[in-house]
Amino acid sequence: FKTDPASVRAYRLYNHRAMRWGLYFAILLNLCLGLFEKPATWPLPIWATISVEGLVHAFYIFRFFHGKHFAKPGFWKDTKHVVVLVTIILTCLDMIIYIFWINLAPYAHPVRWSRALRPLYMINFAEGRQIRRAFRNIRRTLPGILNVLVLFFCSVLLFALMGLKIFQKRKLKNLDGSPYFEDYWESIWALYVLVTTANDPDIMMPAYDNDNWSALFFVVYLLINLYIFMSILLAVIYNNYKKHLKNEVRMAVISKRKKLFQAFEILKVQKDGKEVLTEERWSLLMKAISNKRSGAQIELLLHVLDEDGDNCLLRTEFLNLVDLLNVPLTEVHDRKTLFEKMCPSLYLSRVSEVVKMCVKHRFFRYFFDFMIVVNAVFIGLSLDDAEWFFLVLFAMEILLKMYAYGFRQFFSLFWNWFDFLVIFSALIATIIEALLQEWQDESNTLDILLVLRVLRLIKIIGSIDRFKVIVMTILNIGPSIITYGGVIFVFYYIFAIIGMEVFSGLVAYYPYDTKNQSQLFCGNPALNGSEFARERYCSNNFSNILRSFVLLFELTVVNQWHVLTSGFVLVTSKAARIYFFTFHLICVVIILNIFTAFVLEAFILEYSLSKGKFEHRIEQKIKEMG
Amino acid sequence: FKTDPASVRAYRLYNHRAMRWGLYFAILLNLCLGLFEKPATWPLPIWATISVEGLVHAFYIFRFFHGKHFAKPGFWKDTKHVVVLVTIILTCLDMIIYIFWINLAPYAHPVRWSRALRPLYMINFAEGRQIRRAFRNIRRTLPGILNVLVLFFCSVLLFALMGLKIFQKRKLKNLDGSPYFEDYWESIWALYVLVTTANDPDIMMPAYDNDNWSALFFVVYLLINLYIFMSILLAVIYNNYKKHLKNEVRMAVISKRKKLFQAFEILKVQKDGKEVLTEERWSLLMKAISNKRSGAQIELLLHVLDEDGDNCLLRTEFLNLVDLLNVPLTEVHDRKTLFEKMCPSLYLSRVSEVVKMCVKHRFFRYFFDFMIVVNAVFIGLSLDDAEWFFLVLFAMEILLKMYAYGFRQFFSLFWNWFDFLVIFSALIATIIEALLQEWQDESNTLDILLVLRVLRLIKIIGSIDRFKVIVMTILNIGPSIITYGGVIFVFYYIFAIIGMEVFSGLVAYYPYDTKNQSQLFCGNPALNGSEFARERYCSNNFSNILRSFVLLFELTVVNQWHVLTSGFVLVTSKAARIYFFTFHLICVVIILNIFTAFVLEAFILEYSLSKGKFEHRIEQKIKEMG
């Protein structure tokens, strides 16, 4: 970065919280437009969505050149900047073309292809660091996978040829009456689907019924291609991923140390012949970074970093700063609860003390944990009469806890918030329902509250020691899992947009008891007699972006994906298979395996690390300081 | 072991090759009885199978007490001996009961339950060391998995309760007309099947059609239980497996070193104040171990081990012995080929030399590799007229190679054997076919030969450098994979026997175009209108052990396992689900994940090790010795 005052001012403005959140909001808004554009979940007129998109892109352009303003000369060498600019240009072009198109030739089915590029902003603006890193990992893992994939496809092609030669001339029929292993392409497709297990054992049955030993062909095929190759693929991905992750971490550490070094060079002061950072400068620095920390906290941090106890930081000590700032610190104050302040005589009386002792006793917790289980059993058995009893009981529990611990301490725990919201909203809803008897048939809200109450069981499971490690591990790797959620979302969005452009309107859901001829077979006569219509998959269509997401999720789960594909093949052509095959290859074979590799590595790391080094050091220092 | 002469003689007899192969044969015979007992693939009378089983068990008993004869006192503390004895006793009891039963009350469906114990001999006789180790690894990995499994099942139960509450009162119907989320048990079953993805998206469709937001329940369920929990399960298994494998290897190394130490203590001689093993004793030792090695080989091995070059082995040098013996050595002799001996003048003539040079040139190989690809394309396009041309061409290739390299060198390579067999049997079959034109419709044998010819493509792929590493890795971990095949086989056999006792005769395959009323719906009216009959799964039954294996394999692949289960539930009761659930839990959730963990670990190890240390040392020594 440039360091002249104007650039620094621009830099500070660029990184100002409002600007950053503005960008997040713009990206989100841009992505959400998919909900309102045709085919829409909630339709809006075209001028509305186009003008919002225009505004958003105006902001992108401003943001982009603002960022470029204070950047060093190497700006254009960074791929992410190039991608952002190209995407902006393409989108603006597409918008202009679209506006002309829709006004001049609206009957020619105008296409907004640039919508598929929207997720690129999410990745390539400098703020999407996490997700960009995930993509980089995937990109670097790919070459290693490629060899295995090529071998795998060779094997599929080979088996398809063998299958064709063995089964073609037996003149067998599939369940739907179509010829069995008709030609080479069909044979490849059938065997590729078989690797995903989606058409097992159906694809085997005609041959198996005809000659028992035919089963051998399919068993050998699955052993080699499903069990061996897919395991090897996971192994290669895991191996590559581990290697790249290690490099990534090493590079990050090196770059961090370099920057800290530079910072120390600027801040250092000569004292007793040594280069140090004094306590005074330290306080200023900490205040400049964030003004949330209290003086006591800043002093504590200095003492933790300062190993030789001279209240000045040496360079080596300063290098530990970043790890330390990552450790959350909370200050605990001895406060009086609200009750105590209001009427101390009552709150501190003998009876009150006994009540508080009871509430704080562990048997109090055991009892209510037990009651949650009993309540769950009652819910399971649909004994709704006991509802009132349990609601009052749990409300009492919450009130007692508030009384004993005080509001502040009570609401400092997540589970207490959860209990409070679930129980009191259920209580209120039940009362309203009891007053308005006619609601009883439609009490969906109450149902959801009942269900949420069941979630309190998680609290109990989480408090059992032997499960704690696993639950904590899952919670710890949670944020990183969300990054992968982002990666999947990018592909989902792109495929959903393409799917809507290609397939929307071809398949639609109508109630299955319809008598209307035009609404039979998902409203498309091409599906007459198809497995897609018979299995009632009409709701799985591209009629809006949310439905597309659900459909893509089903494809990710893999089961029956060939039936879904066959439906869209029937209403278009066999070329539709390319779309579904590509999605399967990218999202299931590659991304999901990388996700598994990531969970493997993260879990093993988390499981082996008990407590971070730094948290430990802070605890020690706090003990030393009394 | 005891070391008195009688015991040593007994030990030598016990470990004699004939005795060991006798045991393998007995175990195999015992397992194969499943093919001939009712319900049989090839039925034999009961007296025949029972008497074979009696003989096999007589041999087991002899072998068992023979082994006990020279064992140390701790014999009964070893679980494997106890298991063998208990199994023998139980089986003999069962056989006696069965003989009485079949003679006194044959109408009461006699049961041979002890047949399910047969695979135990495979594991527990001392010879099944590999498979026992695999089982030990699995047993040790289990406790670590248990916590995750319990958490996972808690989560399924919780979601089942929520699903019940949300969907039960909407009065929806499944595709087959049964009520949707009928009661708690059905809801648990449906959601357990959903984790295996087998009923996705079918289970979601009624709710999704009814209310779009219901999809959220299933998406969240799959995200948590399929993607998170199943990945965590794999991670825990991998983590545990790695730990136990490390321990296992360490224990094996320690025990090996201890035994080598003891051996050296017995063999050592004092020489120049040092304890050594002389060259003379070394030769005797090597001859006692195996008399396949030539004098030259024994001398080479001594030189490799002997680091200081005094022709005597120190203790530290002796400890490397075992690793060295694992390295295969082949002696290469300079021999004349048969042709050269027969007519040297012709073989060594100018023309012959040119031919040999051509054959040995790499373009010769490239050309024929290319022809294999061309041939595969012709086969794929079903252009059968070119068959003669390719057959003659490949036959010529083989003859030329034999001429150039000589028979011995030619047949020393696996692929040459393969080529030879495939091409010449195809040639002979084609000639016979051409002579007897009427066979043409039924030329199944020729088809298989055609298919095998396609397998020669593997040779080409294997010779491309970038794939070589992967192919070699797969081949190297092959033998260990076979051990896991053994583990799976044990469970398959047990489940197949149980399945045949419980379900045989209830479902049968009849041609689907039958007009016979009693043969409709797999011969069982209970399946009328069921999905099982509609999908034509009648061949998937327990009518003999081979069919049972195929059915179990289908269950292992998971897809449609709930449909298979539903068929057997309809012809018996819902309790049948226990059988299928147990199989899925053991074979898919546990064993297959352990298999994946094993492949992961084996692959990463193989990939990182390039060439063994010892092979390298031998190569070096051979070079030194000229």
Side-chain angles (χ1 to χ4, degrees):
Chain A
F1 298 115
K2 298 182 194 160
T3 47
D4 56 300
S7 294
V8 170
R9 264 200 306 280
Y11 174 82
R12 291 189 75 119
L13 179 63
Y14 185 84
N15 281 310
H16 192 270
R17 195 186 296 169
M19 295 295 278
R20 291 229 313 270
W21 284 98
L23 182 68
Y24 297 148
F25 179 71
I27 291 174
L28 187 69
L29 197 66
N30 195 9
L31 290 173
C32 284
L33 282 178
L35 291 169
F36 307 104
E37 291 162 335
K38 260 201 313 190
T41 318
W42 301 289
L44 279 184
I46 288 169
W47 62 262
T49 56
I50 281 276
S51 44
V52 169
E53 193 160 10
L55 282 177
V56 164
H57 277 78
F59 183 72
Y60 286 161
I61 293 168
F62 160 69
R63 179 86 182 157
F64 181 77
F65 286 103
H66 189 180
K68 191 188 167 307
H69 176 62
F70 56 83
K72 275 198 188 150
F75 186 77
W76 291 114
K77 277 188 192 142
D78 196 336
T79 335
K80 61 176 182 279
H81 298 138
V82 179
V83 172
V84 166
L85 192 64
V86 169
T87 314
I88 290 175
I89 292 168
L90 285 176
T91 308
C92 291
L93 260 180
D94 182 38
M95 282 199 292
I96 293 163
I97 294 171
Y98 185 71
I99 291 168
F100 277 104
W101 195 341
I102 207 121
N103 284 304
L104 299 176
Y107 42 82
H109 187 64
V111 174
R112 271 301 314 276
W113 49 267
S114 76
R115 300 195 292 156
L117 303 175
R118 282 177 191 162
L120 293 181
Y121 295 121
M122 207 170 113
I123 310 168
N124 287 295
F125 266 116
E127 278 69 19
R129 205 164 283 129
Q130 291 282 356
I131 200 169
R132 204 157 52 240
R133 192 174 297 150
F135 267 95
R136 195 160 53 226
N137 273 331
I138 292 172
R139 209 172 53 225
R140 287 187 186 153
T141 309
L142 277 183
I145 310 175
L146 217 64
N147 285 342
V148 183
L149 277 184
V150 170
L151 263 185
F152 163 72
F153 281 113
C154 283
S155 159
V156 172
L157 293 179
L158 203 63
F159 271 97
L161 189 56
M162 298 205 296
L164 188 70
K165 280 292 134 192
I166 297 175
F167 300 122
Q168 189 180 33
K169 61 171 153 185
R170 295 195 193 168
K171 310 281 176 217
L172 302 173
K173 296 268 174 229
N174 285 317
L175 185 57
D176 61 0
S178 60
Y180 190 68
F181 279 81
E182 192 180 358
D183 56 43
Y184 194 41
W185 286 112
E186 287 304 314
S187 152
I188 293 173
W189 176 253
L191 288 183
Y192 183 74
V193 173
L194 184 56
V195 178
T196 69
T197 79
N199 61 356
D200 175 90
D202 309 70
I203 188 70
M204 185 180 92
M205 295 319 290
Y208 187 39
D209 290 340
N210 173 259
D211 170 15
N212 289 336
W213 293 103
S214 304
L216 219 55
F217 173 80
F218 295 96
V219 170
V220 171
Y221 177 78
L222 281 171
L223 284 180
I224 292 178
N225 289 289
L226 176 62
Y227 292 114
I228 308 285
F229 263 115
M230 287 295 133
S231 302
I232 294 281
L233 187 71
L234 179 62
V236 172
I237 288 177
Y238 180 57
N239 201 16
N240 272 293
Y241 184 79
K242 234 166 83 170
K243 211 166 59 191
H244 292 304
L245 198 72
K246 225 178 264 170
N247 277 337
E248 182 96 11
V249 169
R250 195 182 300 135
M251 294 303 291
V253 168
I254 289 173
S255 129
K256 194 172 70 185
R257 290 185 82 91
K258 222 166 101 184
K259 282 181 188 155
L260 281 172
F261 228 86
Q262 287 172 353
F264 189 81
E265 288 299 313
I266 295 165
L267 294 166
K268 72 184 176 189
V269 171
Q270 289 285 345
K271 187 182 165 187
D272 304 340
K274 284 184 291 188
E275 294 176 335
V276 294
L277 176 64
T278 58
E279 190 173 353
E280 183 187 2
R281 284 194 163 215
W282 166 258
S283 306
L284 285 172
L285 173 68
M286 293 308 287
K287 290 236 163 72
I289 293 173
S290 146
N291 36 26
K292 267 193 203 153
R293 287 172 208 277
S294 69
Q297 276 192 29
I298 292 175
E299 202 181 332
L300 171 68
L301 290 177
L302 179 65
H303 283 295
V304 173
L305 284 178
D306 180 22
E307 283 165 348
D308 51 5
D310 57 358
N311 278 352
C312 291
L313 292 181
L314 293 172
R315 183 179 280 118
T316 49
E317 291 163 357
F318 185 73
L319 291 182
N320 291 325
L321 176 63
V322 178
D323 300 295
L324 190 60
L325 290 182
N326 285 334
V327 178
L329 275 180
T330 39
E331 286 178 83
V332 182
H333 297 278
D334 283 322
R335 289 170 173 272
K336 290 181 179 176
T337 68
L338 195 64
F339 294 113
E340 200 172 347
K341 279 187 214 155
M342 303 259 290
C343 40
S345 60
L346 180 65
Y347 193 73
L348 298 171
S349 71
R350 190 76 185 275
V351 182
S352 166
E353 286 296 332
V354 172
V355 169
K356 278 186 277 177
M357 214 189 65
C358 285
V359 172
K360 288 178 179 174
H361 197 275
R362 67 203 155 98
F363 281 112
F364 184 82
R365 189 163 61 83
Y366 291 165
F367 173 73
F368 279 98
D369 282 357
F370 178 70
M371 290 319 287
I372 291 174
V373 176
V374 173
N375 187 14
V377 172
F378 271 71
I379 292 174
L381 299 173
S382 298
L383 300 171
D384 291 340
D385 299 331
E387 269 315 291
W388 277 104
F389 168 71
F390 282 110
L391 270 181
V392 172
L393 191 76
F394 291 132
M396 237 173 63
E397 179 203 2
I398 290 170
L399 290 178
L400 279 173
K401 273 187 173 174
M402 279 183 185
Y403 179 74
Y405 294 104
F407 290 117
R408 180 176 285 264
Q409 211 184 327
F410 179 83
F411 283 118
S412 67
L413 291 175
F414 167 75
W415 278 114
N416 285 341
W417 265 108
F418 183 78
D419 283 357
F420 177 77
L421 289 178
V422 167
I423 296 297
F424 279 91
S425 44
L427 203 61
I428 292 164
T430 317
I431 291 168
I432 292 174
E433 198 202 331
L435 293 176
L436 307 160
Q437 284 289 338
E438 60 266 42
W439 277 22
Q440 224 156 21
D441 294 335
E442 290 287 323
S443 58
N444 237 330
T445 333
L446 201 67
D447 248 20
I448 289 166
L449 288 171
L450 207 69
V451 163
L452 284 178
R453 194 123 42 92
V454 176
L455 284 182
R456 297 176 70 202
L457 286 170
I458 298 173
K459 185 172 70 169
I460 303 177
I461 294 168
S463 68
I464 299 171
D465 259 346
R466 59 188 312 173
F467 299 134
K468 220 179 228 163
V469 187
I470 298 167
V471 173
M472 286 314 294
T473 311
I474 294 177
L475 290 180
N476 280 339
I477 62 179
S480 324
I481 285 179
I482 288 170
T483 307
Y484 275 88
V487 173
I488 290 276
F489 176 79
V490 167
F491 286 105
Y492 267 42
Y493 200 92
I494 295 172
F495 273 95
I497 295 287
I498 298 173
M500 288 195 297
E501 293 290 1
V502 180
F503 301 113
S504 83
L506 296 172
V507 174
Y509 167 71
Y510 300 103
Y512 294 105
D513 50 6
T514 182
K515 294 279 173 289
N516 187 334
Q517 277 295 325
S518 72
Q519 295 184 353
L520 288 173
F521 317 118
C522 315
N524 196 323
L527 290 173
N528 188 349
S530 69
E531 198 174 352
F532 187 87
R534 206 170 55 242
E535 301 254 12
R536 301 197 166 174
Y537 287 164
C538 301
S539 285
N540 300 318
N541 55 41
F542 289 95
S543 68
N544 66 49
I545 199 164
L546 292 180
R547 279 190 182 272
S548 307
F549 279 163
V550 172
L551 176 53
L552 293 177
F553 184 75
E554 285 167 18
L555 293 178
T556 312
V557 177
V558 173
N559 196 51
Q560 299 290 69
W561 75 286
H562 63 301
V563 177
L564 295 170
T565 306
S566 74
F568 288 96
V569 164
L570 283 175
V571 298
T572 53
S573 78
K574 283 196 178 171
R577 282 180 181 169
I578 299 169
Y579 174 86
F580 291 90
F581 166 75
T582 318
F583 181 81
H584 180 263
L585 190 68
I586 292 178
C587 283
V588 181
V589 177
I590 296 177
I591 309 276
L592 270 194
N593 270 318
I594 291 183
F595 174 74
T596 308
F598 159 75
V599 172
L600 271 179
E601 191 56 21
F603 186 86
I604 288 170
L605 267 176
E606 275 292 332
Y607 218 78
S608 57
L609 296 172
S610 49
K611 245 185 176 182
K613 201 173 105 197
F614 268 97
E615 296 187 38
H616 187 69
R617 256 178 75 187
I618 293 186
E619 277 174 17
Q620 216 172 23
K621 210 73 185 185
I622 289 175
K623 268 186 205 148
E624 276 174 25
M625 292 166 76
Chain B
F1 297 114
K2 296 182 196 163
T3 47
D4 55 298
S7 294
V8 170
R9 264 200 306 282
Y11 174 83
R12 290 189 75 117
L13 178 63
Y14 185 84
N15 281 312
H16 191 272
R17 194 187 295 169
M19 295 294 278
R20 291 229 313 270
W21 283 99
L23 182 68
Y24 296 148
F25 180 70
I27 291 173
L28 187 70
L29 198 64
N30 196 8
L31 289 174
C32 284
L33 283 177
L35 290 169
F36 306 104
E37 291 161 336
K38 263 202 308 190
T41 317
W42 301 289
L44 279 183
I46 287 168
W47 61 261
T49 57
I50 281 276
S51 41
V52 169
E53 192 161 10
L55 282 175
V56 165
H57 276 79
F59 183 72
Y60 286 162
I61 293 168
F62 158 70
R63 179 87 181 158
F64 181 78
F65 285 103
H66 189 179
K68 191 188 167 308
H69 176 62
F70 57 82
K72 274 198 188 152
F75 186 76
W76 291 112
K77 277 188 195 143
D78 196 336
T79 334
K80 63 173 179 280
H81 298 137
V82 179
V83 172
V84 166
L85 193 64
V86 170
T87 312
I88 290 175
I89 292 169
L90 284 177
T91 308
C92 291
L93 260 179
D94 182 39
M95 282 200 293
I96 294 164
I97 293 173
Y98 184 72
I99 292 169
F100 276 104
W101 195 342
I102 208 127
N103 283 306
L104 299 177
Y107 42 82
H109 187 63
V111 174
R112 271 301 314 277
W113 48 266
S114 75
R115 298 194 294 156
L117 303 176
R118 281 174 192 163
L120 293 182
Y121 295 120
M122 208 171 112
I123 310 167
N124 286 295
F125 267 113
E127 279 70 17
R129 205 164 281 129
Q130 290 282 356
I131 200 170
R132 205 157 53 240
R133 193 174 296 150
F135 267 95
R136 196 159 55 224
N137 273 331
I138 292 172
R139 211 172 53 224
R140 287 185 187 154
T141 310
L142 278 184
I145 310 174
L146 217 63
N147 286 341
V148 184
L149 276 184
V150 170
L151 263 185
F152 163 71
F153 281 112
C154 282
S155 158
V156 172
L157 293 179
L158 203 64
F159 271 97
L161 189 57
M162 298 203 300
L164 187 70
K165 281 292 132 189
I166 296 175
F167 301 121
Q168 190 182 31
K169 60 170 152 185
R170 295 195 192 170
K171 310 279 178 218
L172 303 172
K173 297 267 175 232
N174 285 318
L175 185 57
D176 61 359
S178 60
Y180 190 67
F181 279 81
E182 190 180 1
D183 56 41
Y184 195 40
W185 286 112
E186 287 304 314
S187 151
I188 293 173
W189 177 253
L191 288 185
Y192 183 74
V193 173
L194 183 56
V195 178
T196 68
T197 78
N199 61 356
D200 176 270
D202 309 72
I203 189 69
M204 187 180 91
M205 294 319 290
Y208 187 39
D209 290 340
N210 174 259
D211 170 15
N212 289 337
W213 293 101
S214 304
L216 218 56
F217 173 81
F218 295 96
V219 170
V220 171
Y221 177 79
L222 282 170
L223 284 179
I224 293 179
N225 289 287
L226 176 62
Y227 292 114
I228 308 285
F229 263 114
M230 288 295 132
S231 301
I232 294 281
L233 188 72
L234 179 61
V236 172
I237 287 177
Y238 180 58
N239 201 17
N240 272 292
Y241 184 80
K242 234 166 87 169
K243 210 167 62 192
H244 292 304
L245 199 72
K246 225 178 263 171
N247 277 337
E248 183 95 9
V249 169
R250 196 183 298 135
M251 294 303 291
V253 168
I254 290 173
S255 130
K256 193 173 72 184
R257 290 185 81 90
K258 224 167 99 184
K259 281 181 187 152
L260 281 172
F261 227 88
Q262 286 173 354
F264 189 79
E265 287 301 311
I266 294 165
L267 294 166
K268 70 183 177 190
V269 171
Q270 289 286 346
K271 188 180 166 189
D272 304 339
K274 286 185 288 186
E275 295 176 332
V276 294
L277 176 63
T278 58
E279 190 173 354
E280 178 187 5
R281 283 195 163 212
W282 165 260
S283 306
L284 284 172
L285 173 69
M286 292 309 287
K287 291 237 162 72
I289 294 172
S290 148
N291 35 27
K292 268 193 203 152
R293 285 173 209 279
S294 68
Q297 276 193 31
I298 292 174
E299 202 181 334
L300 170 68
L301 290 177
L302 178 66
H303 284 297
V304 173
L305 285 177
D306 180 22
E307 282 165 349
D308 50 7
D310 57 359
N311 276 352
C312 290
L313 292 181
L314 294 171
R315 182 181 278 117
T316 48
E317 291 164 357
F318 185 71
L319 290 182
N320 291 326
L321 176 62
V322 177
D323 299 295
L324 190 60
L325 290 183
N326 285 335
V327 179
L329 275 181
T330 38
E331 286 177 83
V332 183
H333 297 278
D334 281 323
R335 290 170 171 272
K336 289 182 178 173
T337 67
L338 195 64
F339 294 111
E340 198 171 348
K341 279 188 214 151
M342 303 259 288
C343 41
S345 60
L346 181 64
Y347 193 74
L348 297 172
S349 69
R350 190 80 184 273
V351 182
S352 166
E353 285 297 331
V354 171
V355 170
K356 277 188 278 177
M357 213 189 67
C358 285
V359 172
K360 288 178 180 177
H361 198 275
R362 68 205 154 94
F363 281 111
F364 184 80
R365 189 160 62 80
Y366 292 165
F367 173 73
F368 279 99
D369 281 357
F370 177 70
M371 289 319 286
I372 292 175
V373 175
V374 173
N375 187 12
V377 172
F378 271 71
I379 293 174
L381 297 173
S382 299
L383 300 172
D384 292 340
D385 299 332
E387 269 317 291
W388 277 104
F389 168 71
F390 283 111
L391 271 180
V392 171
L393 191 76
F394 291 133
M396 237 173 64
E397 178 202 3
I398 291 170
L399 290 176
L400 278 173
K401 272 187 174 177
M402 278 182 185
Y403 179 75
Y405 293 105
F407 289 118
R408 182 177 283 265
Q409 211 183 329
F410 179 80
F411 284 118
S412 68
L413 290 175
F414 166 75
W415 278 114
N416 284 342
W417 265 108
F418 182 79
D419 284 356
F420 176 77
L421 289 178
V422 167
I423 296 298
F424 279 91
S425 42
L427 203 62
I428 293 163
T430 315
I431 291 168
I432 293 174
E433 199 202 332
L435 293 176
L436 306 161
Q437 284 288 338
E438 61 266 45
W439 277 19
Q440 223 157 20
D441 294 336
E442 290 287 324
S443 58
N444 236 332
T445 331
L446 200 67
D447 248 18
I448 290 167
L449 288 170
L450 207 67
V451 163
L452 283 177
R453 194 125 41 94
V454 176
L455 283 182
R456 297 174 72 201
L457 286 170
I458 298 174
K459 187 172 70 168
I460 302 176
I461 295 170
S463 67
I464 299 172
D465 258 346
R466 60 188 309 174
F467 300 133
K468 220 179 228 164
V469 187
I470 298 168
V471 173
M472 285 314 293
T473 311
I474 295 177
L475 290 181
N476 280 339
I477 62 177
S480 323
I481 286 178
I482 288 169
T483 307
Y484 274 88
V487 173
I488 290 274
F489 176 78
V490 167
F491 285 106
Y492 267 41
Y493 200 92
I494 294 173
F495 273 95
I497 295 286
I498 297 174
M500 288 196 296
E501 292 290 1
V502 181
F503 300 113
S504 81
L506 296 172
V507 174
Y509 167 72
Y510 301 102
Y512 294 107
D513 49 6
T514 181
K515 294 280 174 287
N516 186 334
Q517 275 298 322
S518 71
Q519 295 185 352
L520 288 174
F521 316 119
C522 316
N524 196 322
L527 290 172
N528 189 347
S530 68
E531 197 175 351
F532 187 87
R534 204 172 55 244
E535 301 255 12
R536 300 198 165 173
Y537 286 166
C538 302
S539 285
N540 300 317
N541 55 39
F542 289 97
S543 68
N544 65 50
I545 200 163
L546 293 180
R547 278 189 183 272
S548 307
F549 279 162
V550 172
L551 175 53
L552 293 178
F553 184 75
E554 285 168 19
L555 293 178
T556 311
V557 178
V558 174
N559 196 49
Q560 298 290 68
W561 74 287
H562 63 300
V563 177
L564 295 170
T565 306
S566 75
F568 288 95
V569 164
L570 284 174
V571 298
T572 55
S573 79
K574 283 197 177 168
R577 282 181 182 169
I578 299 170
Y579 174 86
F580 291 90
F581 166 75
T582 318
F583 181 80
H584 181 261
L585 190 68
I586 293 178
C587 283
V588 181
V589 177
I590 297 177
I591 308 277
L592 270 194
N593 270 318
I594 292 184
F595 173 74
T596 308
F598 158 75
V599 172
L600 271 179
E601 191 56 21
F603 186 84
I604 288 170
L605 268 175
E606 275 291 333
Y607 218 78
S608 55
L609 296 172
S610 50
K611 243 185 177 180
K613 201 174 106 198
F614 269 97
E615 296 187 37
H616 186 69
R617 256 179 75 188
I618 293 185
E619 276 175 17
Q620 215 171 22
K621 208 76 186 183
I622 290 175
K623 269 187 205 148
E624 276 175 25
M625 292 166 77

